[in-house]
């Protein structure tokens, strides 16, 4: 089992948390980032050597992944403003910009393959061969997207806290 | 292994939740994420013809959002669910044989043993 830097593992955990709590292409963006993090730590040469042992060609996979990355980035570009509701208005009629974002988003999802092998195989390969596979995704990692933020700031003042403690 | 299992389980629960809430697009997408993970875990590959069939129905559903294409996708999901079950069952078997991963002391047939006996077995 190849060891990975603990900081990288922690960062990858957050990415996997993002992957599993998101959908429709946005999840693939986090998955891709997690893969990049793991490859950066492990090294491309090591990955290439290990893949060769199992009869896989990393260079070919890499080219196909780069094509996929373009589509993923396109989806992400339209996904974010829709989720953030940047252009939505309270009026009943949708604005032109919002319509444009939604139609472009739907068009770009159609380009994403429903059954994708290269990205998933590479990630699973990395998880099987490294210590990352035995990690566990913390509850906090799921919360990043589900609740929009790591954790809410405690706004109660110290004075009030002290008062509550005395009571 | 644990991480892969967690990812698959999370995606399947999301699939169930979204199906219940009638967010079909998200549900289908989440199911096929779990399916992709299971396929990669089992080192299996799907026929290009089958991939195309599913993708065509998916695009049809995205464009028209009709019941007909949804029903057909649900039939595909019923077929593909077997692969997900197979992957999850395999993971459980591997975990039992290996005795778990870091911090997990479960090995079948060792419940009730003392620590010194555990290492001798």
């Amino acid at each position: 089992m190849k060891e990975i830097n603990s900081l990288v593992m922690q960062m990858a955990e957050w990415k996997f948390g993002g992957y599993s709590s998101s959908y429709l292409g946005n999840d693939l963006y986090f998955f891709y980032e997690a893969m990049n993090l793991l490859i950066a730590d492990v090294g491309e040469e090591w990955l290439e050597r290990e893949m060769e042992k199992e009869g896989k060609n990393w260079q070919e996979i890499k080219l196909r992944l780069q094509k996929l990355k373009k589509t993923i980035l396109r989806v992400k570009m339209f996904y974010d403003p829709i989720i953030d509701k940047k252009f939505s208005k309270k009026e009943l009629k949708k604005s032109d910009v919002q319509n444009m974002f939604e139609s472009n988003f739907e068009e770009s999802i159609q380009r994403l393959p429903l059954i994708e092998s290269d990205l998933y195989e590479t990630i699973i390969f990395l998880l099987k061969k490294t210590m990352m596979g035995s990690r566990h995704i913390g509850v906090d990692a799921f919360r990043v997207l589900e609740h929009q933020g790591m954790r809410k700031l405690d706004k109660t003042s110290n004075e009030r806290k002290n008062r509550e403690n005395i009571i | 292994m644990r991480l892969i299992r967690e990812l698959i389980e999370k995606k399947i629960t999301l699939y169930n939740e979204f199906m219940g809430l009638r967010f079909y697009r998200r549900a289908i997408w989440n199911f096929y994420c779990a399916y992709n993970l299971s396929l990669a875990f089992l080192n299996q590959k799907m026929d290009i013809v089958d991939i195309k069939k599913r993708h065509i129905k998916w695009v049809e559903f995205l464009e028209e959002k009709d019941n007909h294409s949804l029903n057909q996708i649900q039939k595909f999901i019923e077929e593909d669910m077997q692969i997900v079950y197979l992957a999850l069952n395999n993971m459980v078997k591997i975990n039992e044989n290996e005795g778990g991963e870091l911090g997990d002391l479960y090995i079948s047939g060792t419940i009730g043993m003392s620590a010194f006996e555990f290492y001798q077995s």
Side-chain angles (χ1 to χ4, degrees):
Chain A
M1 290 281 234
K2 179 97 173 162
E3 282 190 17
I4 292 181
N5 185 358
S6 57
L7 187 69
V8 175
M9 284 217 270
Q10 206 179 5
M11 282 162 73
E13 251 177 53
W14 289 92
K15 302 284 177 200
F16 283 122
Y19 164 76
S20 35
S21 51
S22 183
Y23 37 77
L24 290 174
N26 190 42
D27 51 354
L28 288 185
Y29 174 80
F30 288 104
F31 215 39
Y32 200 92
E33 281 207 328
M35 186 193 73
N36 278 343
L37 270 175
L38 293 177
I39 292 175
D41 192 87
V42 163
E44 263 195 60
E45 289 170 5
W46 178 85
L47 182 67
E48 202 171 347
R49 250 184 287 130
E50 290 292 318
M51 277 195 158
E52 255 184 33
K53 285 178 195 170
E54 295 198 5
K56 290 173 185 171
N57 190 347
W58 165 241
Q59 294 301 332
E60 281 178 12
I61 294 173
K62 197 177 160 186
L63 281 176
R64 288 198 292 267
L65 283 177
Q66 276 169 356
K67 277 183 191 171
L68 181 74
K69 188 188 167 188
K70 281 182 189 170
T71 327
I72 292 172
L73 287 178
R74 192 179 153 81
V75 172
K76 176 82 179 157
M77 192 169 74
F78 295 114
Y79 180 91
D80 283 345
I82 294 172
I83 285 292
D84 294 345
K85 293 178 182 168
K86 271 187 180 169
F87 301 98
S88 62
K89 288 177 183 172
K90 285 179 183 174
E91 297 156 8
L92 283 173
K93 277 188 178 178
K94 284 182 178 178
S95 65
D96 291 341
V97 185
Q98 196 186 350
N99 275 334
M100 184 273 285
F101 270 103
E102 281 175 10
S103 62
N104 272 316
F105 174 66
E106 289 203 354
E107 185 206 319
S108 42
I109 309 175
Q110 290 173 17
R111 290 190 200 170
L112 274 180
L114 195 61
I115 295 162
E116 218 291 312
S117 59
D118 290 322
L119 182 62
Y120 283 91
E121 274 177 12
T122 318
I123 288 265
I124 297 291
F125 183 83
L126 282 165
L127 291 180
K128 279 181 180 174
K129 296 276 178 184
T130 59
M131 293 295 284
M132 187 70 214
S134 58
R135 291 281 285 208
H136 144 82
I137 307 173
V139 186
D140 278 1
F142 291 128
R143 281 185 188 156
V144 178
L145 294 178
E146 284 174 355
H147 302 291
Q148 302 290 318
M150 271 174 71
R151 54 178 70 92
K152 283 176 187 171
L153 286 171
D154 189 8
K155 286 176 184 172
T156 49
S157 64
N158 284 333
E159 279 179 27
R160 197 180 152 190
K161 270 183 196 171
N162 291 334
R163 226 184 302 144
E164 280 168 1
N165 287 336
I166 292 164
I167 295 163
Chain B
M1 196 77 69
R2 183 191 282 179
L3 198 115
I4 304 169
R5 199 177 69 204
E6 278 183 3
L7 290 176
I8 295 178
E9 282 171 356
K10 179 78 183 172
K11 284 287 176 189
I12 287 292
T13 44
L14 279 179
Y15 158 71
N16 280 330
E17 273 178 30
F18 285 133
M19 267 296 180
L21 294 169
R22 282 174 286 149
F23 290 130
Y24 296 118
R25 274 197 321 189
R26 298 176 191 182
I28 294 164
W29 180 267
N30 276 314
F31 172 77
Y32 275 99
C33 282
Y35 179 72
N36 280 326
L37 284 165
S38 331
L39 262 189
F41 174 76
L42 295 169
N43 267 332
Q44 285 188 10
K45 286 213 170 183
M46 212 178 175
D47 280 352
I48 298 170
V49 182
D50 288 333
I51 294 174
K52 275 186 181 172
K53 269 185 200 172
R54 280 154 180 76
H55 191 74
I56 288 167
K57 284 293 154 205
W58 168 241
V59 172
E60 229 177 74
F61 178 67
L62 284 177
E63 282 174 353
E64 293 168 18
K65 289 170 189 157
D66 59 340
N67 264 337
H68 178 68
S69 48
L70 178 67
N71 287 339
Q72 281 182 324
I73 291 176
Q74 277 181 327
K75 275 180 193 168
F76 286 135
I77 288 178
E78 277 172 27
E79 280 175 30
D80 299 336
M81 192 62 98
Q82 289 172 354
I83 295 282
V84 180
Y85 287 142
L86 194 68
L88 286 172
N89 284 339
N90 268 14
M91 278 177 210
V92 172
K93 273 180 194 169
I94 291 168
N95 250 7
E96 278 178 5
N97 293 336
E98 285 180 355
E101 285 143 356
L102 294 173
D104 187 4
L105 287 175
Y106 174 74
I107 300 177
S108 54
T110 57
I111 295 169
M113 281 170 80
S114 307
F116 63 91
E117 290 171 326
F118 180 74
Y119 285 108
Q120 284 167 5
S121 64

